[in-house]
Amino acid sequence: MATKVILGVIGSDAHVVGITILEQALEANGFDVVNLGVQTSQEEFVEAAKEHDAEAVLVSSLYGHAKQDCEGFPQKLAEADVDVVTYIGGNLAVGQDDFEETERFFRDLGFDRVFDSETDPEDAIAALQADLDQRSSEDEREQITAA
Ligand code: B12
């Protein structure tokens, strides 16, 4: 069965082109994408991840308000018992920011990886595949240890 991935633009952000390209690239690489579209709330991401038993949640933000929109988001996933790989990408801060600082902010918030607006979708997909492979081998090891 194809790996299920939730994709959407968080907050009041209406920039749709980036996630459309990401959706196509993910599907071309065999992922089953649930695209929630633009102006998606944290709760909608959490509900969709739960409903579809997703393995990853990919959040996009372009308009410069990602820090406010994502406050508490990884914790909301954890509270709902949703254990997924979480990525965020796009134009994550206002203006010409220091990406290293932005990356640190979102990693501290709990996201697994942070991507800037220059990211080639194929690079993000390769990272996702590697992260998911690593998770499933860790799960297998845990099952063997528990048996
Ligand atoms: C088109 C556009 C619009 C259109 C959007 C139309 C639509 N329905 O999509 C309109 C005119 C509506 C618009 C409105 C606004 N916009 Co505008 N917009 C743009 C513009 C010119 C292009 C965006 C785009 O489509 N790029 C093409 C796609 C392919 O690239 P992308 O979106 O960056 O996505 C790629 C990567 O970022 C990455 N990526 C994105 N998300 C994710 C997520 C993950 C997990 C990963 C791995 C990768 C990833 O992969 C994508 C595919 O390659 C950009 C400037 C620019 N050159 O980027 C400004 C820009 C994004 N907009 C901006 C702003 C400020 C606004 C407004 C707030 C303006 C205003 N004052 O009203 C409003 C916001 C309205 C809202 N509620 O969202 C700013 C954001 C500034 C910031 N972050 O500091 C930008 C950067 C312009 C600028 N230089 O100031 N905008």
Side-chain angles (χ1 to χ4, degrees), residues 3-18:
T3 305
K4 208 132 219 173
V5 171
I6 309 296
L7 176 65
V9 184
I10 200 160
S12 306
D13 195 334
H15 294 90
V16 75
V17 184

Side-chain angles (χ1 to χ4, degrees), residues 12-18 21-22 58-60 62-64 87-91 93-95 115 117 119 121 124:
S12 306
D13 195 334
H15 294 90
V16 75
V17 184
I21 288 173
L22 286 172
L58 273 51
V59 175
S60 176
L62 272 301
Y63 71 164
Y87 285 3
I88 185 161
N91 257 312
V94 176
F115 298 89
S117 59
T119 303

